[in-house]
Amino acid sequence: MRVGVLTGGGDCPGLNAVIRAIVRKGVQEYGYDFIGFRDGWRGPLEGETVPLSIPAVRGILPRGGTILGSSRTNPLAAEHGVRRIKDNLAKYEVDALVTIGGEDTLGVAATLSDEYGIPCVGVPKTIDNDLSATDYTFGFDTAVGIATEAIDRLHTTAESHMRVLVVEVMGRHAGWIALHSGLAGGANVILIPEQRFDIDQVCAWVTSRFRASYAPIVVVAEGAMPAEGKMILKDESHDSFGHVRLSGVGEWLAKEIERRTGKEARTTVLGHVQRGGTPSAFDRWLATRFGLHAIEAVRDGDYGVMVALRGTDIVRVPIADATARLKTVDPTLYAEVGVFFG
């Protein structure tokens, strides 16, 4: 039995822990061979591989990123993409494929498994924590921890100069990072993609904070939008999955706050800092468990499924169901934190 492994989409802390767990258990308990495909779906599409063995995965548990590399390649948009993947899997004698990724990577895996009979097992990965079939995805806890530490540090410099500091965090369609880090970091305003914001209300909260002799911290997810207007983009280019590049709402927000309130405002965009570096203990634990259960699904011949966290249990769910809709912040949950605004 030879198993292929790939990591697609944005990198995040914990990917190497998954790879390590898959290989360790697969080799030691089942006697499987492993091959890694380079740079997400580009690997099986182009036939680019790296060997995977127990020596190859030693020491990678605390490392961020992925030893296999990643990309946002969409093989379904490539010419003869499915046929090329099938040919390369046959060439390397791959019997099953473990795909580690988010909505886009797993969406491709669901199509290849359900429509073309390519045996795939999915592992959920996204710092946005927006896959509906699992309680948590690894990488999210690390991202929240990094963002919270940044907010903690920004409080002191904001108060030293009595200025507004706007912190832009990741979150294209879901505001989980903004919500968790903003609440944990004591932000005075939290803006998420699920709820369009009123800029006048934001300025009112900012002014109220200054009246209490404190400097406001505004946390905004990159996908948050004003009530009147549209999503603010870095540029108009699209990736192979049709996504535009976000970032810019923080800078726009700071300028608007300064113009409307007369208070100096600065922006800090955390960007890729949130998904780089050493994974937290929780993310290492979750990623390792996902890897162990993913290779069990391969052993059982249970393809077209994704491993997911439900409570403290790891369960299997159809990949298609896991990617059918995003898990977004419930309005009642967002309303709970509103008592701290202003």
Side-chain angles (χ1 to χ4, degrees):
M1 182 82 170
R2 174 170 284 180
V3 180
V5 183
L6 67 83
T7 55
D11 67 291
C12 84
L15 283 168
N16 288 322
V18 181
I19 298 168
R20 170 180 175 268
I22 290 169
V23 173
R24 286 284 298 270
K25 185 165 186 172
V27 172
Q28 291 176 196
E29 296 198 9
Y30 307 142
Y32 293 166
D33 290 328
F34 289 89
I35 186 170
F37 285 101
R38 290 285 307 169
D39 301 334
W41 285 112
R42 190 170 70 84
L45 190 65
E46 305 292 345
E48 296 190 15
T49 67
V50 294
L52 279 181
S53 61
I54 288 181
V57 299
R58 286 200 179 108
I60 67 173
L61 177 64
R63 284 176 57 183
T66 164
I67 62 169
L68 297 179
S70 191
S71 73
R72 297 197 58 79
T73 302
N74 181 1
L76 303 180
E79 186 175 6
H80 307 302
V82 175
R83 189 189 71 192
R84 290 159 63 187
I85 287 176
K86 283 187 171 183
D87 288 347
N88 282 319
L89 293 180
K91 174 183 176 181
Y92 292 104
E93 300 179 328
V94 173
D95 301 296
L97 193 60
V98 178
T99 59
I100 311 166
E103 176 192 9
D104 296 325
T105 301
L106 295 180
V108 171
T111 299
L112 294 179
S113 180
D114 296 344
E115 298 183 20
Y116 298 100
I118 296 176
C120 295
V121 170
V123 176
K125 171 248 34 153
T126 167
I127 68 168
D128 287 348
N129 197 41
D130 59 0
L131 287 174
S132 60
T134 183
D135 289 350
Y136 284 97
T137 53
F138 64 88
F140 171 69
D141 184 72
T142 303
V144 168
I146 291 169
T148 302
E149 182 181 358
I151 295 166
D152 286 346
R153 292 176 178 274
L154 290 170
H155 272 292
T156 58
T157 186
E159 291 173 6
S160 294
H161 296 274
M162 288 305 289
R163 61 166 61 118
V164 185
L165 281 183
V166 177
V167 185
E168 183 183 304
V169 300
M170 285 186 170
R172 177 179 293 271
H173 300 297
W176 293 109
I177 294 176
L179 185 72
H180 281 241
S181 65
L183 182 60
N188 312 112
V189 182
I190 301 170
L191 306 175
I192 61 176
E194 293 86 343
Q195 302 238 359
R196 285 179 174 261
F197 62 85
D198 182 340
I199 186 62
D200 290 329
Q201 178 62 73
V202 172
C203 290
W205 283 326
V206 165
T207 302
S208 173
R209 183 68 173 176
F210 276 117
R211 280 200 298 266
S213 298
Y214 286 98
I217 298 286
V218 178
V219 174
V220 57
E222 62 186 351
M225 291 182 286
E228 297 180 358
K230 60 182 182 179
M231 186 176 287
I232 297 163
L233 309 177
K234 194 174 187 69
D235 58 48
E236 296 292 336
S237 61
H238 292 70
D239 64 22
S240 62
F241 288 97
H243 298 307
V244 292
R245 292 178 64 194
L246 297 185
S247 185
V249 65
E251 192 65 35
W252 177 88
L253 193 59
K255 290 179 180 177
E256 283 297 306
I257 290 172
E258 188 167 297
R259 183 177 69 84
R260 292 167 182 251
T261 67
K263 300 293 186 180
E264 184 182 6
R266 300 288 180 86
T267 306
T268 297
V269 180
L270 295 184
H272 291 74
V273 171
Q274 294 158 92
R275 70 186 200 199
T278 302
S280 68
F282 177 82
D283 281 341
R284 298 185 205 188
W285 172 85
L286 180 58
T288 297
R289 292 193 69 202
F290 276 162
L292 296 175
H293 283 262
I295 199 61
E296 283 184 5
V298 171
R299 178 204 60 185
D300 296 341
D302 193 4
Y303 301 120
V305 300
M306 181 192 85
V307 293
L309 180 69
R310 297 280 177 83
T312 58
D313 296 328
I314 305 294
V315 300
R316 300 174 190 171
V317 298
I319 300 177
D321 291 352
T323 58
R325 65 181 181 86
L326 292 177
K327 179 178 68 181
T328 53
V329 176
D330 188 278
T332 57
L333 184 58
Y334 182 64
E336 283 182 2
V337 306
V339 66
F340 298 107
F341 292 179

